[in-house]
Amino acid sequence: MGREEGTVEDRDLALAAEIAQPAGVNDEPPRYRVAVRTLCEFTARQGDLDLRFTPTPSAEDGIEGHRTIASRRAAGYRSEVSVEARHRSLLVRGRIDGYDAAAGRLEEFKTYRGDLSRVPANHRHLHWAQARVYGWLLCLQLGLDRLDIALVYFDIDSRTETPLVEACNAQELRHFFETQCERFLAWAEQESSHRSRRDAALQQLTWPLTGFRRGQRELATAVFNAARSRRRLLAQAPTGIGKTMATLFPLLKAAPTQGIDKIFFLTAKTSGRALALDAMAQLRTHAPELPLRTVALVTRDIACEHPDRACHGESCPLARGFYDRLPAARAQAIAQREASGDGLRDVARSHHVCPYYLTQELARWADVVVADVNYFFDTGAPLHAATLANQWRVGVLVDEAHNLVDRARAMHSATLDPTAFAAVRASAPVGLKRPLDRLQRQWRTLARAQTEPFSVCAAPPQNLVTALQQAAAALGEHLAHAPESADRELLQFYFDALHFLRVHESCDAHWQFDITLRHARAPRSDAVLCLRNVVPAPVLRARLAAAHSAVLFSATLQPFRFYTDMLGLPDDTVTVDVDSPFDAAQLGVKVARHVSTRYADRGASLPALVALIAHQFAQAPGNYLAFFSSFEYLEQALGCLRERHPGIATWVQTRGMMPADRERFLGRFVEGGQGVGFAVLGGAFGEGVDLPGSRLVGAFIATLGLPPLNPVNEALRDRMQALFGAGYDYVYLYPGLQKVVQAAGRVIRGPEDRGVVHLIDDRFARRDVRRLLPAWWVIDEERETTSWH
């Protein structure tokens, strides 16, 4: 397919001495520039949304296909012809795949796999639009009156060409080109006007709250300075300080002078997204005329109106004619300024379009995009890809950034499951048996060589990788020619194989290849293969570099060195540790020195632990949260408390809680209530939960939060020791204490709150543990007692 570029190269200008300009264009530099493909994708899409699976050639396949087609052409054939032209204030640029001067024929190459008739109609329409725009640019450049335009579809597998030819005259092509340009200019001028009004309003915007909380101004100043100096900022600020507004507001204020196009507010948990939208609502209330557009991206599962339908016009009514109705839906959604929740769903329903894909489309129009961290940091992350493709200048805010380490590791790891593979192999068509059998033999050979249930290797054996590549290629070819046979299991394994191979291409010392035998005994072939990312720094570094500035903030980012090492932050990263807005007198912190919550001691710890909870409840009745290291330990403590103190109301987090169940759990924490909620540390209620005032008056934390001691974590510890000389701290201590501090942060949420936190384990008295606790905590050594036994 045609490739666009940002600059015109001289190598193809043997076709013409210089590029002509449309009549009436003045000598002023163009105000807008756009590539042919971008222009057409915006102005010429029509018809259905069609996301039926069609295996597409890789970028390497596409490049090789273009070379193959060009090599078949006669002498004098021109490849990669650079063209450009101006329409009013818009400059359009691109490269034509090929031009045969003798035949008077422009060719646009498109590679595909499988049945050509399965290329969606909306894709074909877009291909023709690109070819016609190229046609006018070439006619203008060479002074042609007529031109044959050919879409040349090239089957990667059979190496055959299917040309579709259209005879065009220059005036028809010019009209088509100018129509697309006018559509684009209407949008560009509207956006330019919006940008001018937005920046003028932001320059006048004032702090929307009544004064600053202690420490809030310090954080806001650091964010503003980071944007002004194009730096990365790692900011630790206590829970309850108002970090969301203290990061959003200064970055918005910096946008006009720094030329920031968009702000991405990225969250690791749903609660963070709600806080960001609440902050934007506060700004709109404070400045009702502020022309700021906000969009919240959610998962397809949440947004989909017809989860039982496939995403194409023959199945889903909201996909049928989607692109025809999109402009009107988009215009209405933009006018509302915030595109999220029920408001966006109502717009989508009124225009009969898919709300999920309407939301995705709106991201390019928004000033503030609120989304999960995977939208910018995952492989193929859409916001990162759009930033590069559109050359946006973005400011990135990462909320609860301590979660990014584990989230990024998961994003950039890949697993092959033997059970899934066995099911695919058992039901695979005959044509796939040979490559799948070859993969099974290599998999089995590797598994049988293992002497331990878990082992780490330097890299996957090349024989295994080759067999996986061949199996993936065979699956892709099969699915291209028989997409109707693509059941869910077959497709999922195909995607898993491709992801494994992509991760393998990136692997270095920051990954490990490990093998887990599900059954220590036979069958030895039951081995889970994992390319595990242990340090996400290399991939995150490149993502953060794409931003004008990036601010990663949380209440728990100590020690800073751990997070700079893990997250790939550059050496000039600014760090700030904001003082707490709370007084030590607001929070009583007590350590139960005499209790051990180590795995071997948990049974013996129950009487003292339950007595402590009951004693505290009797002294100060109210709502409490009790955190434990596991559901097993939680259930033991809950049973003991209910048996010995049946008068204390309790409610409990259960495994796999649905959102409605979580809401009911939190709903028990009412003003003036009395009882104890039991939860697992590091779960849904350990962070991102706001229970101000008397809704929560205390917490019991019966664990250091250390990750479990298992072969995976021990292998990770060895790697961290080799890379950073701090294996235990990086794998166990720092992540564990981060969860403890987050959980304790649920207690004090505002300047008037009062509460207590009991740290229940003798290890909380150790110096290396104490130094990781918030500096403003004052542990009441004198009142540590066993009198409540």
Side-chain angles (χ1 to χ4, degrees):
M1 69 181 61
R3 291 186 292 143
E4 290 75 34
E5 58 185 3
T7 60
V8 178
E9 298 184 13
D10 294 334
R11 65 187 182 191
D12 293 318
L13 296 187
L15 291 172
E18 61 183 46
I19 297 174
Q21 294 292 336
V25 173
N26 58 38
D27 293 330
E28 294 180 0
R31 188 175 182 185
Y32 310 105
R33 292 174 172 82
V34 66
V36 170
R37 181 174 180 176
T38 303
L39 171 72
C40 293
E41 285 182 344
F42 183 76
T43 64
R45 288 187 299 178
Q46 68 177 35
D48 295 351
L49 180 70
D50 193 336
L51 298 175
R52 279 175 283 198
F53 173 74
T54 52
T56 56
S58 66
E60 293 76 13
D61 288 336
I63 293 170
E64 180 58 32
H66 283 221
R67 289 173 179 164
T68 300
I69 300 171
S71 70
R72 296 173 175 177
R73 299 303 184 254
Y77 186 85
R78 301 278 184 174
S79 299
E80 302 287 312
V81 182
S82 293
V83 289
E84 69 173 25
R86 183 168 170 178
H87 176 75
R88 296 203 291 128
S89 56
L90 176 65
L91 180 66
V92 182
R93 290 173 166 170
R95 280 189 193 172
I96 297 168
D97 288 330
Y99 175 58
D100 186 339
R105 176 162 142 169
L106 175 152
E107 293 188 323
E108 173 76 353
F109 305 154
K110 300 296 179 183
T111 55
Y112 74 100
R113 311 186 89 114
D115 185 351
L116 180 58
S117 67
R118 295 183 182 275
V119 175
N122 62 341
H123 290 192
R124 291 187 185 225
H125 179 80
L126 190 58
H127 297 164
W128 274 117
Q130 293 172 15
R132 288 168 184 147
V133 170
Y134 281 128
W136 167 243
L137 296 181
L138 189 63
C139 285
L140 183 64
Q141 182 163 300
L142 300 181
L144 303 176
D145 294 327
R146 303 191 63 81
L147 182 68
D148 284 348
I149 295 177
L151 280 179
V152 181
Y153 286 97
F154 182 74
D155 188 332
I156 289 293
D157 297 320
S158 69
R159 320 299 285 177
T160 58
E161 300 176 31
T162 304
L164 306 178
V165 184
E166 177 180 86
C168 304
N169 67 61
Q171 288 308 309
E172 293 171 342
L173 295 174
R174 176 176 181 170
H175 176 72
F176 183 83
F177 170 78
E178 291 180 351
T179 299
Q180 309 314 308
C181 290
E182 286 297 321
R183 290 175 182 171
F184 186 87
L185 280 170
W187 167 79
E189 289 166 358
Q190 172 187 300
E191 290 305 286
S192 179
S193 174
H194 165 74
R195 177 66 172 267
S196 297
R197 289 184 290 108
R198 184 203 77 171
D199 286 354
L202 287 176
Q203 288 177 323
Q204 300 300 317
L205 184 65
T206 58
W207 181 247
L209 307 177
T210 304
F212 287 88
R213 296 181 185 177
R214 197 168 76 195
Q216 201 171 33
R217 184 190 293 273
E218 179 186 355
L219 176 58
T221 300
V223 173
F224 183 83
N225 288 337
R228 190 168 59 179
S229 60
R230 302 192 64 174
R231 305 276 286 279
R232 316 304 109 174
L233 171 66
L234 195 61
Q236 178 170 274
T239 295
I241 195 177
K243 294 188 290 294
T244 304
M245 186 64 78
T247 53
L248 261 174
F249 176 81
L251 196 51
L252 286 168
K253 290 293 290 181
T257 59
Q258 296 303 309
I260 294 174
D261 300 308
K262 299 179 184 298
I263 293 172
F264 297 155
F265 191 100
L266 307 175
T267 71
K269 297 202 172 183
T270 304
S271 56
R273 183 170 66 241
L275 290 172
L277 294 176
D278 287 345
M280 294 304 300
Q282 285 181 295
L283 285 171
R284 285 193 298 274
T285 300
H286 174 70
E289 300 305 315
L290 181 65
L292 204 62
R293 301 170 181 163
T294 305
V295 62
L297 303 182
V298 298
T299 65
R300 189 183 309 182
D301 291 342
I302 293 175
C304 184
E305 292 275 8
H306 299 289
D308 59 325
R309 306 287 185 89
C311 292
H312 58 82
E314 295 175 15
S315 175
C316 179
L318 300 184
R320 192 176 308 124
F322 174 84
Y323 289 113
D324 301 326
R325 295 188 294 274
L326 175 61
R330 182 173 56 203
Q332 183 179 344
I334 289 170
Q336 292 187 350
R337 298 191 184 175
E338 179 180 314
S340 66
D342 292 338
L344 179 66
R345 192 176 292 273
D346 289 342
V347 171
R349 284 172 176 164
S350 67
H351 292 275
H352 209 59
V353 297
C354 171
Y356 174 74
Y357 286 101
L358 173 61
T359 308
Q360 302 298 304
E361 172 71 21
L362 290 172
R364 73 173 66 191
W365 297 69
D367 303 300
V368 178
V369 180
V370 181
D372 187 87
V373 292
N374 74 291
Y375 276 88
F376 193 77
F377 293 110
D378 204 349
T379 56
L383 290 182
H384 176 255
T387 297
L388 298 181
N390 296 289
Q391 298 182 335
W392 288 334
R393 184 173 289 188
V394 301
V396 174
L397 300 174
V398 184
D399 187 21
E400 302 294 1
H402 61 274
N403 288 306
L404 187 55
V405 177
D406 285 342
R407 287 291 305 277
R409 280 172 172 163
M411 293 174 199
H412 298 280
S413 298
T415 300
L416 292 177
D417 183 273
T419 303
F421 174 65
V424 167
R425 181 172 168 271
S427 60
V430 174
L432 293 175
K433 290 294 186 183
R434 180 174 295 180
L436 293 179
D437 286 349
R438 187 182 302 117
L439 175 59
Q440 186 204 38
R441 287 194 296 272
Q442 296 300 329
W443 200 328
R444 181 181 297 167
T445 298
L446 180 63
R448 287 176 173 172
Q450 305 311 305
T451 58
E452 299 293 335
F454 177 85
S455 59
V456 176
C457 307
Q462 187 55 50
N463 288 344
L464 175 74
V465 174
T466 300
L468 184 61
Q469 291 170 333
Q470 292 170 344
L475 283 167
E477 186 172 350
H478 167 75
L479 292 170
H481 291 87
E484 67 282 352
S485 68
D487 61 53
R488 180 174 299 180
E489 290 76 14
L490 186 66
L491 270 179
Q492 188 58 57
F493 182 76
Y494 176 59
F495 294 146
D496 289 346
L498 293 179
H499 181 56
F500 192 95
L501 292 169
R502 280 194 297 267
V503 171
H504 178 258
E505 292 174 359
S506 305
C507 284
D508 58 16
H510 300 93
W511 277 261
Q512 70 181 31
F513 175 60
D514 56 60
I515 305 162
T516 303
L517 298 179
R518 283 193 169 152
H519 304 287
R521 301 174 184 173
R524 285 284 185 174
S525 59
D526 194 13
V528 178
L529 311 181
C530 183
L531 280 171
R532 192 181 308 275
N533 178 250
V534 295
V535 180
V539 286
L540 298 186
R541 184 179 295 114
R543 301 302 169 92
L544 293 170
H548 174 82
S549 71
V551 178
L552 295 84
F553 59 98
S554 170
T556 49
L557 288 176
Q558 287 286 8
F560 285 135
R561 171 49 57 189
F562 169 71
Y563 289 98
T564 56
D565 286 344
M566 291 292 104
L567 301 179
L569 292 162
D571 292 338
D572 66 348
T573 296
V574 179
T575 60
V576 60
D577 190 357
V578 178
D579 290 338
S580 173
F582 308 124
D583 189 278
Q586 290 181 253
L587 183 68
V589 183
K590 305 180 182 183
V591 172
R593 288 174 172 266
H594 57 284
V595 179
S596 168
T597 64
R598 297 169 180 84
Y599 184 80
D601 301 328
R602 287 176 187 170
S605 73
L606 294 175
L609 191 159
V610 165
L612 187 155
I613 294 173
H615 179 76
Q616 174 63 43
F617 189 85
Q619 281 192 324
N623 288 327
Y624 293 85
L625 265 169
F627 293 98
F628 299 85
S629 55
S630 67
F631 281 105
E632 181 184 12
Y633 193 21
L634 177 155
E635 290 159 2
Q636 292 172 352
L638 177 67
C640 188
L641 181 70
R642 285 176 172 172
E643 178 184 349
R644 299 190 177 198
H645 304 278
I648 299 177
T650 56
W651 51 98
V652 60
Q653 176 185 1
T654 56
R655 294 175 174 86
M657 278 182 111
M658 301 299 291
D661 297 324
R662 292 197 292 269
E663 288 299 318
R664 281 191 287 272
F665 181 93
L666 292 174
R668 297 290 297 270
F669 292 89
V670 297
E671 291 284 348
Q674 295 184 11
V676 182
F678 280 62
V680 171
L681 191 69
F685 307 111
E687 60 180 274
V689 171
D690 195 19
L691 300 170
S694 65
R695 290 183 66 189
L696 183 68
V697 299
F700 308 95
I701 304 176
T703 171
L704 260 69
L706 305 183
L709 190 68
N710 59 36
V712 173
N713 284 332
E714 284 297 279
L716 189 60
R717 172 179 176 168
D718 292 341
R719 184 62 64 89
M720 294 299 104
Q721 187 65 33
L723 290 172
F724 306 111
Y728 174 78
D729 290 347
Y730 273 37
V731 176
Y732 294 105
L733 188 59
Y734 298 160
L737 268 296
Q738 163 255 309
K739 295 175 187 175
V740 169
V741 176
Q742 282 287 335
R746 303 310 98 205
V747 178
I748 303 297
R749 307 298 295 175
E752 305 302 321
D753 288 359
R754 296 289 186 274
V756 63
V757 170
H758 288 271
L759 304 176
I760 307 172
D761 193 281
D762 59 274
R763 289 168 290 180
F764 282 113
R766 286 176 7 196
R767 182 175 299 177
D768 62 327
V769 172
R770 289 280 182 95
R771 66 183 174 85
L772 296 173
L773 301 179
W776 67 277
W777 287 7
V778 176
I779 295 179
D780 189 354
E781 301 281 359
E782 293 183 357
R783 298 184 63 184
E784 293 174 338
T785 176
T786 60
S787 61
W788 36 260
H789 266 255

